[in-house]
């Protein structure tokens, strides 16, 4: 985390060559957990009416420039090469296809995605590249919902990061086959959000800690963490525990890509943790329906931030087409996200800074592939240094629109970035867990009791000082335990981290064993209350700004 001085900076080469010791915490006693066979959970949430939390919400559909109609007009079937929002057009415009032509495809790099899970659809079905990490969501207790995306958000982003159809050849991109930005990268799915989007900030922090402490497990080499999540934290990033968690990942060699948020000019700042200057905050660019770039603008939903903190870069986030999760919340509630002329029904269209962040996560994987010794600071600096400024000045653009072809040219040149240590302080992480929630809370659907105060999602007391001490030792997780309770198993089987049955009482005082879990990924109960205004995983707030895309 630091500033950068450039010794030499020539980016013409590629740009012109072709038109990404273990301790247990203080808290509840650590009980032995039985292996998880089956179970089911869901959640409801409540929150302040003006909060802005959760998954950077996606606006599904949002095809204001009628790309789908144009791309299917000729034959009636959708042609990805004629749709500016398709993965084919996007990877071409950002320079990813130029990188592929040089053999840079994200191979041997793992991107961890903390989100709502993934669906095993075509494009995400390569068992060698797609792994399921621990499911820390309220849907982890049943086999039918574990790891799986009942919301539709995680599947959309996973496709953009590293999806690839069988038979896809990066050297000869075919618009009839789907491919994300880093088609040979591995992707680790760490699910924290339920089918209605319910997730507590403590689940996200636990997920980040797990990624850091298991970054080299099972043949992985995690160098990128995609976090299309944010809260309207009411405290400074200098003390916020979520900020501390992402900074710890960064210090351990993992580039954290965070969506800026979808509040447009309405929000007073970027979401947490994007507001933390030690991570890479991504906003969205709007192509305005034209191939030309001189009329591109910051998307109207992309959070503007303030003079203290803006998005670092922009990436395509308007009307982006990626993989559909059939039967998911987004799929059922937002038929406008379906792509006109898509004869196979594989694709879904959405807008949001979530999509933009996913694209940049893929770009980062390409750069780590090209030069594995790069640090997160160097990758951030390279992406910002080579970004293309918009035609019209706008402070919300940060350095401009990423250009991974130019970034790769710089990385492969003799120009070496000299990154100086940042003068900014690190987060202490000693702030309030409740303040980090930003006014929104998951709710036990059986009792109606909201999770509030200094309590984590399993019901254990939160001790920030003990957590920070464990983090210093690289031991926030110990044999599936986090904050004194067993959240997940520790063994891998068939590219998945096995789950465990939750024990003890929930935050509402009800034993976890008494919860009525649903085994149907599409029928799970809601963990969020009716007043949840978060910008994230849930269907009611598709206009909100968080984990979701704008469709």
């Amino acid at each position: 985390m630091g500033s950068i001085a450039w010794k030499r900076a020539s980016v013409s080469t590629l740009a012109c060559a072709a038109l990404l010791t273990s301790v247990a915490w203080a808290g509840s006693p650590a009980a032995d957990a039985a292996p998880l066979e089956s179970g089911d959970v869901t959640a409801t949430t409540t929150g302040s009416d003006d909060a802005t939390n959760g998954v950077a919400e996606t606006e599904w559909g949002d095809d204001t420039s009628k790309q789908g109609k144009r791309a299917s007009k000729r034959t009636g079937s959708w042609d990805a090469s004629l749709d500016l929002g398709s993965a084919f057009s996007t990877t071409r415009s950002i320079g990813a296809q130029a990188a592929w032509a040089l053999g840079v495809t994200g191979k041997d790099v793992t991107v961890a995605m903390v989100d709502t899970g993934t669906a095993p659809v075509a494009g995400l079905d390569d068992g060698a590249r797609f792994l399921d990490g621990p499911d820390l969501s309220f849907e982890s207790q049943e086999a039918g919902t574990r790891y799986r995306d009942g919301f539709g958000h995680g599947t959309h982003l996973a496709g953009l990061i590293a999806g690839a159809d069988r038979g896809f050849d990066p050297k000869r991109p075919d618009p009839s086959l789907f491919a994300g930005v880093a088609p040979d990268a591995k992707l680790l799915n760490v699910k924290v959000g339920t089918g209605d989007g319910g997730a507590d900030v403590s689940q996200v922090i636990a997920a980040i800690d797990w990624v850091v402490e298991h970054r080299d497990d099972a043949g992985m080499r995690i160098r990128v963490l995609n976090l299309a999540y944010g809260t309207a934290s009411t405290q400074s990033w200098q003390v916020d525990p979520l900020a501390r968690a992402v900074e710890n990942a960064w210090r351990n060699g993992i580039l954290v890509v965070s969506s800026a948020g979808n509040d447009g000019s309405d929000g007073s700042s970027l979401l947490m943790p994007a507001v933390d200057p030690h991570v890479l905050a991504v906003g969205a660019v709007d192509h305005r329906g034209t191939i030309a770039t001189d009329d591109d603008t910051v998307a109207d939903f992309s959070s503007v931030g303030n003079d203290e903190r803006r998005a670092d870069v922009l990436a395509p986030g308007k009307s982006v087409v990626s993989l559909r999760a059939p039967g998911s919340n987004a799929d059922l509630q937002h038929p406008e996200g379906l792509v006109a002329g898509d004869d196979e029904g594989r694709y879904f269209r959405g807008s949001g800074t979530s999509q933009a962040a996913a694209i940049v996560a893929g770009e980062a994987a390409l750069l780590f592939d090209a030069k594995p010794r790069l640090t997160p600071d160097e990758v951030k600096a390279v992406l910002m240094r080579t970004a293309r400024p918009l035609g019209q000045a706008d402070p919300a653009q940060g350095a401009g629109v990423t250009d991974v072809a130019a970034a790769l040219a710089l990385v492969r040149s003799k120009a070496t970035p000299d990154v100086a240590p940042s003068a900014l302080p690190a987060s202490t992480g000693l702030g309030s867990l409740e303040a980090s929630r930003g006014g929104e809370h998951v709710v036990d659907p059986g009792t109606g009791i909201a999770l509030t105060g200094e309590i984590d999602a399993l019901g254990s007391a939160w001790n920030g000082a003990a957590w920070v001490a464990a983090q210093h030792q690289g031991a926030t997780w110990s044999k599936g335990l986090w904050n004194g309770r067993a959240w997940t198993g520790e063994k891998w089987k068939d590219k998945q981290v096995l789950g465990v049955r939750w024990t003890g009482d929930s935050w509402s005082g009800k034993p976890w064993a008494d919860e009525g879990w649903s085994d149907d990924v599409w029928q799970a109960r809601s963990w969020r209350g009716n007043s949840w205004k978060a910008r994230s995983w849930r269907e009611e707030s598709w206009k909100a700004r968080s984990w979701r895309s704008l469709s």
Side-chain angles (χ1 to χ4, degrees):
M1 296 177 280
S3 58
I4 185 166
W6 295 95
K7 294 179 179 177
R8 276 179 37 190
S10 172
V11 299
S12 59
T13 308
L14 178 63
C16 298
L19 285 159
L20 10 205
T21 339
S22 158
V23 292
W25 288 15
S28 302
D32 290 337
L36 188 60
E37 300 294 335
S38 64
D40 115 325
V41 133
T42 54
T44 332
T45 66
T46 62
S48 59
D49 288 342
D50 55 356
T52 305
N53 283 17
V55 205
E57 300 167 283
T58 294
E59 180 90 20
W60 301 114
D62 194 35
D63 189 11
T64 54
S65 62
K66 302 189 183 306
Q67 293 298 304
K69 182 178 180 180
R70 185 180 74 172
S72 58
K73 184 177 180 179
R74 185 177 301 169
T75 65
S77 294
W78 183 68
D79 183 344
S81 68
L82 301 178
D83 190 319
L84 294 179
S86 72
F88 179 82
S89 295
T90 298
T91 54
R92 180 174 55 191
S93 70
I94 65 173
Q97 292 185 19
W100 302 344
L102 296 176
V104 179
T105 57
K107 189 175 178 59
D108 297 327
V109 178
T110 304
V111 179
M113 184 187 74
V114 176
D115 213 281
T116 60
T118 59
V121 296
L124 300 179
D125 56 352
D126 182 346
R129 292 197 303 116
F130 295 97
L131 301 85
D132 291 321
D135 185 338
L136 307 182
S137 77
F138 297 117
E139 293 176 344
S140 66
Q141 301 296 284
E142 271 297 338
T145 53
R146 197 176 312 132
Y147 316 121
R148 297 300 168 240
D149 182 13
F151 192 64
H153 186 268
T155 300
H156 207 253
L157 302 196
L160 293 173
I161 296 169
D165 282 348
R166 295 182 185 276
F168 176 78
D169 182 357
K171 290 289 182 80
R172 299 174 182 80
D174 181 347
S176 70
L177 297 176
F178 180 86
V181 178
D184 283 334
K186 289 184 178 180
L187 187 132
L188 176 71
N189 164 38
V190 184
K191 178 179 174 179
V192 295
T194 60
D196 72 337
D200 184 62
V201 70
S202 63
Q203 292 167 294
V204 177
I205 293 171
I208 297 168
D209 282 349
W210 192 95
V211 167
V212 173
E213 293 172 23
H214 296 81
R215 59 190 180 275
D216 296 320
D217 285 8
M220 298 186 298
R221 193 168 70 90
I222 299 175
R223 299 304 312 277
V224 185
L225 171 62
N226 187 78
L227 189 60
Y229 173 90
T231 76
S233 177
T234 58
Q235 62 197 349
S236 166
W237 61 266
Q238 284 104 330
V239 300
D240 193 282
L242 180 55
R244 169 86 188 190
V246 294
E247 288 182 20
N248 183 54
W250 195 280
R251 282 191 295 271
N252 280 278
I254 300 173
L255 178 81
V256 180
V257 183
S258 181
S259 54
N262 300 330
D263 285 318
S265 59
D266 294 336
S268 59
S269 72
L270 302 186
L271 298 177
M272 184 72 68
V275 71
D276 186 335
H278 295 302
V279 301
L280 181 60
V282 182
V285 64
D286 184 348
H287 53 61
R288 310 283 293 178
T290 68
I291 296 176
T293 59
D294 56 359
D295 62 347
D296 289 356
T297 62
V298 176
D300 58 6
F301 55 80
S302 189
S303 290
V304 170
N306 54 44
D307 289 341
E308 292 184 3
R309 177 65 170 149
R310 310 280 188 183
D312 294 305
V313 293
L314 303 177
K318 171 71 172 178
S319 189
V320 178
V321 176
S322 187
L323 298 175
R324 171 189 173 214
S328 65
N329 186 306
D331 191 45
L332 296 177
Q333 299 295 326
H334 297 278
E336 68 274 18
L338 297 172
V339 176
D342 173 18
D343 298 331
E344 297 180 346
R346 295 186 58 197
Y347 302 117
F348 214 66
R349 188 187 301 275
S351 299
T353 56
S354 290
Q355 282 69 19
I359 288 167
V360 173
E363 293 177 333
L366 296 182
L367 297 182
F368 281 122
D369 174 14
K371 192 172 183 178
R373 291 186 180 181
L374 287 171
T375 68
D377 282 323
E378 289 169 340
V379 171
K380 177 179 178 178
V382 166
L383 288 170
M384 293 181 67
R385 173 66 179 81
T386 56
R388 169 180 58 81
L390 296 177
Q392 297 182 351
D394 187 335
Q397 71 176 303
V401 183
T402 56
D403 180 345
V404 74
L408 180 58
L410 181 56
V411 163
R412 302 183 98 189
S413 72
K414 294 182 180 180
T416 53
D418 184 11
V419 180
S422 172
L424 294 171
S427 174
T428 66
L430 298 177
S432 164
L433 193 64
E434 175 62 19
S436 188
R437 292 185 177 112
E440 302 201 14
H441 307 87
V442 294
V443 173
D444 186 327
T447 65
I449 297 175
L451 170 55
T452 62
E454 303 309 297
I455 303 290
D456 72 23
L458 285 197
S460 296
W462 174 257
N463 183 327
W467 172 66
V468 169
Q471 197 180 73
H472 277 305
Q473 298 179 46
T476 63
W477 282 91
S478 176
K479 297 182 179 179
L481 278 70
W482 187 83
N483 199 24
R485 289 244 195 138
W487 289 61
T488 182
E490 58 176 327
K491 294 182 178 179
W492 289 82
K493 182 179 180 181
D494 298 329
K495 303 291 185 180
Q496 295 177 326
V497 174
L498 298 178
V500 295
R501 181 69 60 198
W502 289 351
T503 60
D505 293 343
S506 74
W507 67 84
S508 69
K510 181 180 179 181
W512 283 113
D514 292 347
E515 288 285 357
W517 309 103
S518 166
D519 191 38
D520 187 338
V521 67
W522 313 128
Q523 300 297 324
R525 294 176 299 156
S526 173
W527 287 91
R528 313 192 324 171
N530 292 333
S531 62
W532 179 273
K533 282 291 277 191
R535 315 310 208 217
S536 47
W537 316 94
R538 59 171 272 201
E539 73 208 44
E540 294 94 332
S541 60
W542 287 111
K543 294 287 183 185
R545 326 299 205 220
S546 238
W547 288 97
R548 47 165 269 191
S549 317
L550 305 168
S551 309

